[in-house]
Amino acid sequence: MIRYTTLEGARSSNDSAFHAKLRQSFPRFLAYCGIMRACRAIPQFRLMKPVVIGLLLPEGADAEIYESAARYAAHGPSIVCGGLDSTEVLRRMSDRGKKATDGDLPKTLSVKRRVVLVAENMGCVPDSFHLAADAVIQIGAVLPRHVITAAKFCLQIDITPEQAEFIATVPVSVVAAALRRGRPVATAIERMKKAVVPKPREVSGPTLDDLHGIGEAGTWGRELATDLSDWRVGKIGWADVDRGILVSGPPGTGKTTFARALARTCDVHLVLGSIARWQAKGHLGDMLKAMRAAFDEANRNAPSILFLDEIDAVGDREKLSGHNAQYSSEVVAALLECIDGAEGREGVVIVGACNHPHRLDAALVRAGRLDRHVRIPLPDLKGREGILRWHLQGLLVDMDLSGVASRTEGWSGASLEQLVRQARRRARRERRGLVLDDIAAELPVLVSLPAEMRRRFAVHEAGHAVVCIAIGASEIVRVSIIDTFDVTAGRVQDGGGVTLKEEGLRERTPAQFLDRIALVLGGLAAEEVLLGAKSAGGGGVRGSDLHNATMSALTFEASYGLGESLAYIAADNEDDLFTAMRFDRGLQERVDRVLMEQFERAKRIIGEHRKEVERIVEALLAKGALSTEEIKEIVEQQPRLLFEPGKKAV
C-alpha cells in the first residue's frame, strides 16, 4: 500500500491539501508512486532531511510528468504552503549520447539543502553531481497495484488486477489520455492497444560472448561492436561500418536472440520488427505505416540496431504472380526505400533474418543494403553444452553435461532452452533443487533397435561406403549406425551415416554428378542386393537419399545442360527445380532415367564387391562406428583391389 505522508504519523491540514492536489493528476500520481517506492531505502529523502539524490527515468518515460511528480516527492506538503527555497529539482536529458555538462549545478548544490536530479539515464548525470549525491537510483516500471490505487483515488475508477497488468505495460502518457473518468475500462484498454503495441521490457540477457554455436555471426557481431565504438569517438566514418547484414538459419537457432545479444554487446538501442506482423496490421497503407514507424524509431534512437524478422516474407518481385503481385511489389519497393533512407540513416544497422535466403529479392541483398550474409547453424556438441550451461544460469556447475548434449544432436537452441525449462518445472513440482536426472528425464525415451533393423542400417551404410570407395568419389572419414532411437519420433529415419571429407574446388562435370548420384543411392542398392528388397528409409523427408539424388539429377538435367537436353529450364534451387519437374513430364522421365541408371550401376558395384560389403556390415554391428583406417583395413583383407573399371582405387 502506498503511503501518502512524508512524515510518519503527520495528519495536518497541509497533508490533506497535499494529498488532494496530488490526486488531481492521474499520471503524476503514478509517477509519484514509482519515485517514492524507489527512494524507500533513503530515509532522509522521505523524512524531508538534507539529501542529494539522482532519479533515473524508466525507459520511454515522459520526463515532464516525472519531473512534476519529483517536485511533490521532494517538497512534500510544503509545496502547498510555500517554503520551497531550500529544495531544488533539476532535469537533465540526453543529447545524442553526449555527456551532460555541469552548468549551474555546483552553485545549486552549495546553497540548497535538498537537490533532486531527474535524468534520462546515467550518461546524463554530470560528474560533479556524482561527487555530491547520496544516491543515484533507477525508478522502476509502473506496478499494477499503483495503477489500481491511482485509478481509484484520482479517477474514481475500479480496475481489476488483470486489467492493471496490461495497463502497467503502456506508457503513462497514453494511459492518461485513454483512461478517463466515466469511461469503461475495457473501452480505454482497447484504445490503448490501438495507440501502442506494448513491448516486453528488455531485461538483462546474454551478450555475444555468452552465446554458443552461432558460428561466424558471433565474429561479425563483435567486429561491429568495435566499429561502432570507434565511430562514436570519431576514429572512423559511418561509411566504414557494416550497415546491413542478412542472418539465416533453421527455425529455433536463435536469430532473434542473436539480435538482442548484438544490441547488448554494441550497447545500442534495439528495434524489433517483423514483416509478418506488419502485414497483419491490415491493408497496404497500414502495413507501410507500421514499417516506416519502425525505421523512424531506429533513426530517433541512433545508434541503434533494427532487426527485421521473417524478411523473406516480402518475396522476390521476379517470382511474384497472381492478384497479390502488385501488393507485394509495393511492399518490396517501400522496404528498399526505407533501407536506403531518403535523408540518410547514419547510426542505424539493419539486421534481416530469414529461414530461406534464396527467396529474397535480389535488390535487398545488393551492395549497400543487406550485403553481408552469415548463417547460424544448428549448434554442434560443444555449442549445445554451452547453450545448456547458459540456460541453467549457474546451476549444476560441477556436473558433466556432455552425455545430455550428445543425446540432443540436431536440436536447436530453442529446443535446448525448452529442455532446461521443463527440467526446472519438474524440480519445482517436487519442491526441491534441480538435479541432472531432471534434465535426463525430459530427454526423449530411447529404446534399443531390433536386431533385424540394425542389420539393415549396417547394410545400407556399408553400401554407401563401398560405392564411394569403388568410384573414388570422395574420402571417407567415418561410417556409423545407431543402437537406439527416440520412440516419440514415431519412426526411425536416420539410422546411421557416412561422413565424407569436405571436397575442395572441383570441376562439375557430368561424371562427377553421376558419381555423386550413384554414391547417394548406394545404400538402397546394398539393401536390394544383400537383403532382397530396399526399405522406405532412403526417402520420405528432405535431406534423405532419394531427395538428394533427385536434386542432383534435376540440376544435371534442368539447370546445367549436362543430360539429354541443353535447355536451361530452372535455376539451381529446390523450389524452382521441383516446380519445373511437376509440370514437365519429359523432365520427369529424364530425371527418372538418370536415377535408375545410377541405381543399377550402384547395384552392380555392390554385387561385384559383396564380400567387402559383408565385412563392413559385421564390423559395424560389432563396433557401431568405423574410422577411415578401419575401413581400409577391412577392404585390404581381400586379395584383389577394390575399384570400378576405369577408376583409380582409393
Side-chain angles (χ1 to χ4, degrees), residues 593-605:
R593 275 198 297 274
V594 171
L595 294 174
M596 291 304 299
E597 287 171 2
Q598 296 310 306
F599 182 63
E600 292 301 322
R601 177 188 175 195
K603 284 170 61 178
R604 287 196 302 273
I605 294 172

Side-chain angles (χ1 to χ4, degrees), residues 56 148 175 229 256 260 263 268 281 291 311 331 412 467 524 545 599 618:
L56 304 181
I148 294 173
V175 176
S229 177
T256 304
R260 292 181 182 277
V268 299
K281 293 289 184 180
M291 178 194 297
I311 195 170
V331 170
S412 67
V467 172
L524 292 174
D545 289 347
F599 182 63
E618 295 306 320

Side-chain angles (χ1 to χ4, degrees), residues 456-457 460 464 491-494 520-521 523-524 527 534-550:
R456 181 175 289 275
F457 291 156
H460 187 101
H464 285 307
R491 63 172 180 169
V492 183
Q493 184 65 45
D494 188 2
V520 173
L521 295 176
L524 292 174
E527 290 185 44
K534 57 183 181 292
S535 68
V541 296
R542 290 176 181 268
S544 64
D545 289 347
L546 286 180
H547 173 263
N548 292 333
T550 303

Side-chain angles (χ1 to χ4, degrees), residues 156-446:
Q156 284 75 55
I157 295 175
D158 291 324
I159 293 178
T160 67
E162 292 76 16
Q163 292 170 330
E165 285 284 348
F166 169 76
I167 294 174
T169 66
V170 180
V172 173
S173 56
V174 175
V175 176
L179 193 63
R180 314 292 295 180
R181 187 175 303 196
R183 176 179 292 165
V185 178
T187 301
I189 288 177
E190 287 302 316
R191 295 193 178 197
M192 293 177 206
K193 289 180 178 179
K194 292 179 180 179
V196 59
V197 178
K199 299 176 182 178
R201 295 184 180 88
E202 276 293 317
V203 296
S204 59
T207 64
L208 291 177
D209 291 335
D210 298 315
L211 299 186
H212 301 270
I214 60 173
E216 61 176 320
T219 303
W220 175 86
R222 284 183 282 272
E223 291 174 353
L224 176 67
T226 301
D227 287 346
L228 285 176
S229 177
D230 290 344
W231 171 73
R232 279 168 162 152
V233 298
K235 289 184 178 180
I236 62 174
W238 183 245
D240 296 322
V241 180
D242 276 346
R243 287 157 286 171
I245 187 172
L246 176 66
V247 179
S248 67
T253 48
K255 294 183 285 294
T256 304
T257 301
F258 166 74
R260 292 181 182 277
L262 178 63
R264 294 187 189 98
T265 302
C266 297
D267 191 24
V268 299
H269 183 78
L270 175 66
V271 180
L272 294 175
S274 167
I275 304 298
R277 286 198 296 271
W278 292 342
Q279 289 176 334
K281 293 289 184 180
H283 59 72
L284 180 62
D286 292 328
M287 192 272 181
L288 299 183
K289 181 179 179 181
M291 178 194 297
R292 288 173 179 135
F295 279 86
D296 289 343
E297 181 184 346
N299 285 320
R300 286 196 309 271
N301 293 279
S304 63
I305 290 173
L306 173 56
F307 179 68
L308 303 180
D309 199 10
E310 302 166 312
I311 195 170
D312 48 344
V314 300
D316 183 348
R317 286 173 294 183
E318 291 187 1
K319 300 177 182 178
L320 297 175
S321 60
H323 64 281
N324 286 327
Q326 182 62 32
Y327 174 96
S328 299
S329 294
E330 292 190 35
V331 170
V332 174
L335 181 58
L336 294 174
E337 179 186 349
C338 288
I339 290 176
D340 289 339
E343 299 177 358
R345 52 177 178 84
E346 185 169 310
V348 178
V349 177
I350 298 177
V351 178
C354 66
N355 298 331
H356 307 287
H358 60 276
R359 296 179 181 174
L360 286 173
D361 192 283
L364 279 170
V365 292
R366 73 151 173 81
R369 290 171 180 160
L370 305 182
D371 50 10
R372 183 83 176 263
H373 180 200
V374 296
R375 182 173 176 81
I376 299 181
L378 289 170
D380 58 13
L381 179 64
K382 183 179 179 181
R384 294 196 300 276
E385 186 169 347
I387 293 171
L388 289 170
R389 290 284 183 201
W390 166 258
H391 290 298
L392 284 169
Q393 291 292 292
L395 298 177
L396 307 181
V397 289
D398 298 325
M399 303 301 295
D400 182 8
L401 297 180
S402 59
V404 173
S406 64
R407 290 180 58 184
T408 56
E409 185 173 357
W411 286 34
S412 67
S415 299
L416 294 168
E417 179 184 4
Q418 183 184 32
L419 174 65
V420 174
R421 187 167 59 249
Q422 290 171 338
R424 287 178 180 273
R425 185 181 298 116
R426 174 183 288 269
R428 283 199 309 272
R429 286 174 178 169
E430 298 183 11
R431 298 293 187 266
R432 56 171 174 75
L434 183 72
V435 296
L436 186 59
D437 286 344
D438 291 323
I439 300 178
E442 295 298 331
L443 289 169
V445 178
L446 298 179

